[in-house]
Amino acid sequence: MKPVLSRMQGKYPELQVEALEIWYNQTNQQKFAEMSRQHALQNAGIPLIVIGDTVLAGDATIIARLEETILLEKKRIASCNATAPAPSAPAVSCEPATTLTPQMVVVPALIDSLNPCALSVLIFLLISIAAAANRRRILLIGGSYIAAIFLFHLLMGIGIFSFVTLSGLSKAFSLLGATVAVILGLITLTDVVRNRETFFLSVSESGKGLMAQYIRLASIPAAFVLGVLAGLLGFSCTGGIYISILALMSRSLTFSEGLPYLLLYNIIFVLPLVLVTLLAAYGMSVKKADSWRTEHKRALRLVIGIVLIALGIVVFLGWFG
């Protein structure tokens, strides 16, 4: 294939070729397997060439169809860049190879990090220990809770994303995630319009009672268990945006490409929790943070609802737009 590709690069200088060796390189082996699953290839072997959304497998197929595929991809790119495509040109997809950007992760993660559901449990925990605990104990207990929240969300994201990429259900999951995002967004906006103290998407009363037991214990192990419970019981409240980001990732990223985005999202998600813990440890009244949370919780839910619907629409447009 090397001389064939060399001839094509000489004829089409804009052709960029990335060659991946898979006999010795384990990272490339994993990428090859993920690409095979993503394109639903059974018993895929080499040589294998991927151009846009087209896969050419085997030397005979590649030699017969490579130039044709290159020309079709050039036409697709030209139609995406043209201000007025020719009316007779066939409809082509202008979807980029990778639709997710760091900005598309950072902004939703920042909004999700201010979710009242995520902050309230930590604030109640810190209120219960603030009067009797010294700075070191506040930092340890708060840190234990934050570590549990971070690990729970990260491992859940890794589990969901790895299952989707390995099973080849990327499109089905992304469309399901988009549907869930829109539904949760509409429910969240309904909560805001109802203007009541209780919300549909919140921790149940039984769940609050269970978490209250660990809040009263106010120990480092109890804080860790509390973080896991808060992540699990509050996922209907805090998980909507996260699922939407996973849906976007599943459209275009392999597992190894998506892992840094998962880490970035979850680091940003716990930043307000870290800030509240530090402020409590260094003398700020935790009740002020609770007052801020109570005062702005409806506005925050309004923003979260809008973001959920917007992310759902972005995923839908990526497949059908």
Side-chain angles (χ1 to χ4, degrees):
M1 288 300 98
K2 286 183 178 179
V4 174
L5 290 171
S6 295
R7 287 198 300 271
M8 289 297 105
Q9 285 182 291
K11 192 171 182 179
Y12 304 102
E14 67 274 29
L15 179 64
Q16 298 179 11
V17 177
E18 179 188 10
L20 302 178
E21 191 284 322
I22 64 169
W23 186 262
Y24 299 102
N25 191 307
Q26 292 185 352
T27 301
N28 289 344
Q29 290 173 17
Q30 181 185 6
K31 188 169 185 177
F32 178 78
E34 290 172 352
M35 290 175 67
S36 299
R37 284 187 289 267
Q38 184 178 351
H39 293 281
L41 302 176
Q42 299 295 327
N43 301 318
I46 56 172
L48 185 77
I49 291 181
V50 179
I51 301 178
D53 291 329
T54 303
V55 179
L56 304 177
D59 52 357
T61 300
I62 293 171
I63 292 171
R65 295 183 53 199
L66 179 58
E67 186 166 15
E68 171 196 353
T69 305
I70 292 171
L71 292 173
L72 288 173
E73 183 67 6
K74 281 168 61 69
K75 183 184 291 185
R76 185 191 73 83
I77 294 172
S79 66
C80 291
N81 293 335
T83 56
S88 59
V92 295
S93 170
C94 295
E95 178 187 340
T98 301
T99 58
L100 198 66
T101 64
Q103 293 81 1
M104 293 177 69
V105 173
V106 169
V107 175
L110 281 172
I111 294 170
D112 200 16
S113 70
L114 297 174
N115 194 311
C117 295
L119 287 169
S120 59
V121 178
L122 174 65
I123 287 173
F124 292 144
L125 174 63
L126 294 176
I127 288 175
S128 70
I129 65 172
N134 56 32
R135 178 180 302 168
R136 181 175 179 273
R137 185 163 180 77
I138 291 174
L139 290 174
L140 287 174
I141 291 178
S144 178
Y145 173 84
I146 294 168
I149 286 280
F150 176 82
L151 290 173
F152 174 85
H153 277 261
L154 178 62
L155 293 176
M156 175 167 281
I158 289 174
I160 293 173
F161 190 56
S162 60
F163 170 76
V164 170
T165 55
L166 292 174
S167 64
L169 298 175
S170 298
K171 183 173 182 178
F173 173 75
S174 62
L175 295 179
L176 176 62
T179 304
V180 170
V182 172
I183 292 173
L184 292 181
L186 291 173
I187 293 175
T188 302
L189 293 182
T190 302
D191 269 341
V192 175
V193 173
R194 286 169 66 239
N195 197 26
R196 297 180 182 177
E197 289 303 314
T198 57
F199 297 93
F200 290 127
L201 298 179
S202 60
V203 180
S204 66
E205 291 302 319
S206 59
K208 291 177 181 177
L210 178 61
M211 288 191 290
Q213 299 177 21
Y214 290 93
I215 290 176
R216 286 192 293 269
L217 291 174
S219 66
I220 295 172
F224 190 88
V225 175
L226 181 63
V228 174
L229 287 174
L232 182 62
L233 299 175
F235 198 71
S236 63
C237 181
T238 62
I241 294 179
Y242 195 29
I243 292 293
S244 303
I245 294 299
L246 288 171
L248 278 173
M249 289 169 54
S250 70
R251 288 184 55 219
S252 54
L253 301 181
T254 64
F255 177 77
S256 57
E257 292 169 337
L259 187 57
Y261 286 104
L262 284 175
L263 287 168
L264 176 63
Y265 187 98
N266 285 285
I267 288 171
I268 293 173
F269 180 74
V270 299
L271 283 181
L273 304 179
V274 173
L275 179 61
V276 169
T277 301
L278 289 174
L279 291 175
Y282 286 88
M284 189 198 85
S285 172
V286 185
K287 292 183 179 180
K288 289 184 179 180
D290 189 42
S291 298
W292 183 91
R293 177 191 66 84
T294 303
E295 181 181 349
H296 295 90
K297 64 181 179 181
R298 201 166 298 279
L300 289 171
R301 284 181 179 270
L302 174 64
V303 174
I304 289 169
I306 294 172
V307 169
L308 280 168
I309 294 173
L311 286 172
I313 292 173
V314 166
V315 178
F316 280 128
L317 290 179
W319 287 112
F320 303 120

